[in-house]
Amino acid sequence: MRYYRLPGGEHQSSSESLVVIDDEGDAYDLTSASEDLGSFTELARAANASNQSIDAIARDRIPEADQRDLDDIEANALRPVVPDEVWAAGVTYSISEKARKAESGKPEVYIDVYESERPELFLKATPSRTVGPYDSIGVRGDSDWDVPEPELGIVLHRGEVVGYTVGNDVSSRDIEGENPLYLPQAKVYDRCCSVGPCVSTSETVEDPHDLTMSLTIERDEEIAYEGSTSTSEMATSCETLVEYLRRHNTLPETLVLLTGTALVPPETFTLEEGDRVSIDIDNIGRLVNDTVIV
Ligand code: DO4
Ligand code: MG
């Protein structure tokens, strides 16, 4: 099932609602059934405490929940979780390795990491730097070559995988290309990361290594870039990435791990203010953001 965070319903005291779209495609406001289910994190806590799956708890509450309009969900969805930390993996697809080799004066660093067992993992964003659907993603004002990076996001609750989301690891290619040690500046700044529109549980996603992912960038109502691929192209696995992230590293309660970009626009492309970026992943949904210079 797919879980959304929305502003609270008309007759509710809570300011936010946890809304589920079930397997039949109907939407229910779980917070209207139980005020203790105000967020996906609270639902994950309840699942932990009762040793049940997240979907089982939601199914139990659906009979008492108000129905919500599907159009309302698409238009008003907020970040489905507010992750304490967003981490990201790099160079997990051959296309990303080729892009880094082309942009970097130190290509061997990227060849090494692509071929190594230990993945590249970096801290991508904190809550204040992470935006949700229809919010603006940021491009650094001191960068001339910027791209969205569409990525499958793994959602972890207390270190365990509880679902998947869509992520955008917005990046400066020229800052990273100048020197790999500038990676934190190329990756971490205001509005550098977007997640949403929902968390889709493992039961719904089925196989995270077999999902079609597509990226569309619109400029002045025309398509400036369009591409599509599959997560089956990933050179590592979600399990390996999570295993390395957890090593000697106590994770915060809610964390999103982005799994690396599988689509790279041509070298002539750079994101501009006003561009609309849409990322679709099968069984999860579409994450749409406009672009602003920060
Ligand atoms: O090594 C730099 C970052 C790579 C990255 O973000 C990606 O492959 O998605
Ligand atoms: Mg990336």
Side-chain angles (χ1 to χ4, degrees), residues 101-174:
K101 280 195 299 196
E103 84 196 6
S104 179
K106 311 261 181 301
E108 58 288 353
V109 174
Y110 297 95
I111 300 167
D112 266 11
V113 82
Y114 185 67
E115 289 172 356
S116 295
E117 201 187 311
R118 182 185 286 274
E120 176 196 0
L121 294 173
F122 56 92
L123 185 61
K124 168 66 186 171
T126 51
S128 70
R129 297 180 175 90
T130 309
V131 303
Y134 295 103
D135 213 340
S136 297
I137 48 169
V139 159
R140 290 182 64 115
D142 63 352
S143 169
D144 294 324
W145 189 17
D146 302 270
V147 283
E149 292 194 352
E151 306 195 6
L152 173 68
I154 306 172
V155 181
L156 297 141
H157 178 78
R158 297 186 184 153
E160 300 298 326
V161 177
V162 287
Y164 298 87
T165 191
V166 181
N168 189 344
D169 168 23
V170 194
S171 304
S172 159
R173 292 190 69 180
D174 58 352

Side-chain angles (χ1 to χ4, degrees), residues 1-103:
M1 301 210 279
R2 289 178 290 140
Y3 297 87
Y4 294 78
R5 191 169 137 250
L6 268 91
E10 258 175 54
H11 307 296
Q12 276 172 232
S13 52
S14 53
S15 60
E16 285 174 10
S17 283
L18 173 65
V19 174
V20 62
I21 299 189
D22 70 5
D23 300 331
E24 281 72 51
D26 296 318
Y28 298 93
D29 188 326
L30 295 174
T31 312
S32 72
S34 286
E35 282 203 356
D36 58 329
L37 295 185
S39 66
F40 183 80
T41 296
E42 286 177 359
L43 177 62
R45 275 184 209 147
N48 248 359
S50 61
N51 225 0
Q52 284 180 279
S53 76
I54 282 174
D55 287 347
I57 303 243
R59 278 191 198 100
D60 273 0
R61 307 290 169 95
I62 281 176
E64 284 93 58
D66 295 342
Q67 242 182 308
R68 290 282 287 248
D69 184 358
L70 287 170
D71 293 340
D72 183 44
I73 295 173
E74 165 76 10
N76 296 305
L78 305 165
R79 285 174 290 182
V81 284
V82 181
D84 302 303
E85 293 171 0
V86 178
W87 285 70
V91 202
T92 51
Y93 289 82
S94 156
I95 191 171
S96 178
E97 188 224 20
K98 290 194 175 79
R100 312 295 150 185
K101 280 195 299 196
E103 84 196 6

